[in-house]
Amino acid sequence: MVIFVTSMFMLLGHVVCKSVSVQCSTRHPLPIVHKYYQSGDLLIAGIVSNVFKFSDAFTFEVRPSPSSSDSVYFSPRLSYQAALELLSTKGRFIPNYKCDNQNNFVAVLGGPNSNLYFYVADILCLFKVPQLLYGFAPGMTNKNNGAFLYTMFPRWANQYMGIMKLLLYFRWIWVGVIYVDDDYGQEFIQEVLPTFSEHGICFDFIAKFPPMTFSSSFSVMEERNDNLSIVVMLSTTKAVVVHGEIETIVIFRIMLRTAEFTEISMRTKAKVWIFTSQVVFTSTGIQTNWDIDFIHGALSFAVPFQEVSGFDQFLRARDPTSEKEDGFIGDFWKHAFGCSLPSTTETITDDDICTEVEKLESLPGSIFEMSMTAHSYSIYTAVYVVAHALHAMHVSMLKHRAQANKGIKMLLNQHPWQYHEFLKRLSFNNSAEDLFSLDPNVEIETGLDIINWVTFPNKSFLRAKVGRIDFKAAEDKVFTIRKDAIIWPQMFNQVQPLSLCNDRCHPGYSKKKKEGKPFCCYDCLPCPEGKVSDQEDTSDCFQCPEDQYPNSYQNFCLQKHINFLSYEDPLGITLAIFALFFSLLTALVLKIFIKNQDTPIVKANNRNLSYILLISLLLSFVCTLLFLGRPNNLSCLLCQITFGIIFSVAVSCVLAKTIIVVLAFITTKPGSRMRNWVGKRLAISIVLSCSFIQITICTVWVITSPPFPDFDMHSMTKEIILRCNEGSVAMFYSVLGYMGFLATVSFTVAFLGRKLPNSFNEAKFITFSMLVFCSVWLTFVPTYLSTKGKYTVAVEIFSILASSAGLLGCIFSPKLYIIVVRPELNVKVHITRRLKDRV
């Protein structure tokens, strides 16, 4: 590109000369105005970007003046020219030709603008000149040039990783980016920002600073920044990354100045600016009178630095009148103090002349800082690096030379490329007691400090170190920050701002992406029933573990309670009381019947079957207590099996009584041959045979798939049901079905014999008792299936108690009434008379 531009200008000159038929003359290039030279045997050269001026557009009608040639447009030309002057004899611009052996330069310091040392490197790297860069260096586009560059900044990727970690630490995922549209900025946009997106950071805007050209007057700059300021200030993001270099702050301040006159709410304007390390604070021209509140609360990165002993005294001793060879200090004095030095002024008024009592320490910090800065410290370190490399080379020569003077003479005759070997293996402590060493990429091995900018009413400011990024540290120490030490912009009232596209989804909600919006813009939807989210901004809700359930807000899981029918439960206590009551009542009835076993009423109703039935009912009442309490293997096995067998015996007794009653009435008729069938053997046979079938069913049940305690996690939302699993549902309903069959047969036989004489009318009571019994168990099935937890057990206990009580009451209460209340009726004559009356 350089050759192309040069050739184009030469061709243009040739055409003009030919058209006007004049001889072109060769002239020296426009001189570089700002120089500082101090002679010596070995020189460390410096090429810096230090001047920024607004100028009018060039018309190419007249030759530019030396002062106007410092504009930004000519910075590449000046950079190349400066590099070529280093290769010339002092005072003569003849590149690559030196008439003397003095003033040999050993290294060149470049910075802080990255473009500057790229231009310089194109020339100096041809001669393998060591170049130490104290600005931030992105990846070199020319790897051959990179072999001769030494960076006083850490790896550029570390800074970007630090910015990303900073954004993620404060959970700033809705971010704005402003950048300078150069190679360095494009590299940041194309290679770095995608990495940010991969870690959940998205961008409300990615905007370019308007270009700075030779025609950029201040008014034009303001006009170009108008659109940018509207985009930035109307954004809802609170965190904005400002990516650029040393001159970026100038345009940035113009943008903010423009935003002051736009009708945008101050709340929206409040931002936390995050500057890259190469952005430094500068005040150019009229900006020296502007407020600096914009930087209050901003965050930036900087190379770690220390105060250097004597630096303050060095600055206080600067005197432009005695340093006439310094081409920088005069211009600085003029812009800083608003006056000109007599030696540099031709026609000025008395008010414009400096009084020579101006002191640097009297300037506000926004114009000049008396303390060491990161860039100053990098220059300081670079000089030390060169000095140590020369010392190492000199020591190496002394090992092979007996005379020191001869060694020094050889040192003066060394070529620049010979210093590289000593530069690459340096490791030393500088005067600030910092260890310096280079990594394999010839970059300084250090981290970056996180700086918080704090401003004061007198236009001074403080850089407060609040954190650090260091990839050589332990994993938990790579990124450290003191959040409480950060001063936030005043608009946030010292509360950490949030930078989000929308409010976070609270626990109990999940994110749903908004169509057409960046991925970090989303709606918040409540979790579906049965699911929870216990963190903010979860992408999906999740099921609680089996032993837990969602709370009402669905933002965390609660432990499920164990559900079983215990003795401490009011329902369990009530059922237990009823069971004991009916047990005692049955025992009392049994006692009364045994006591009155020789009475006609007891004999007439088959007292042996009555005893067996009463004992069965007593056991059935007692067995309900097995259903109460925490289920275990034994209780689960016994409760269902015991219930099935005892109830079968009871219903078998009822069936036997029904059959005996009917047969007894038939045998009383003259000529009946059924008399031989009526007796104890028939009753026992019926009870044993019917009970044996149920016992067989229960035995098969126990052997094949016995009941066992089980945890039901899913039937109830908030409770774990501890219940007795039937093991085999088919066997369980077989037991119930068989009892239903016996009850149906008993009901049918009793119903057919309901019109028997009063003395034998036990069939009526059995009919009614079986009607109650069947009604209870027919109701039991749907109720059992529809209830859950302890209520399922309660339904079964209630059914057992109700059906047993029905049998007890319907069959035995009439007899008990005669035995206890009307004993005069419990005589054989009365029973025989009533029987005759009915016949």
Side-chain angles (χ1 to χ4, degrees), residues 20 160 219 245 340 412 489 568 572 574 594 624 822:
V20 298
Y160 298 140
S219 59
E245 299 196 64
S340 298
L412 299 178
E568 292 79 14
T574 302
I594 293 175
T624 58
R822 301 290 301 275

Side-chain angles (χ1 to χ4, degrees), residues 638-699:
L638 291 178
C639 64
Q640 298 291 3
I641 303 301
T642 304
F643 151 69
I645 293 175
I646 291 175
F647 243 62
S648 296
V649 173
V651 177
S652 299
C653 291
V654 174
L655 176 60
K657 288 178 68 69
T658 306
I659 293 174
I660 295 299
V661 169
V662 173
L663 290 177
F665 178 76
I666 293 175
T667 57
T668 59
K669 293 182 178 181
S672 175
R673 298 179 180 180
M674 300 293 297
R675 184 179 300 272
N676 296 329
W677 292 93
V678 178
K680 295 180 181 179
R681 291 181 180 179
L682 178 61
I684 297 299
S685 298
I686 294 173
V687 172
L688 290 178
S689 59
C690 293
S691 300
F692 177 77
I693 296 174
Q694 186 70 294
I695 291 173
T696 302
I697 296 173
C698 292
T699 302

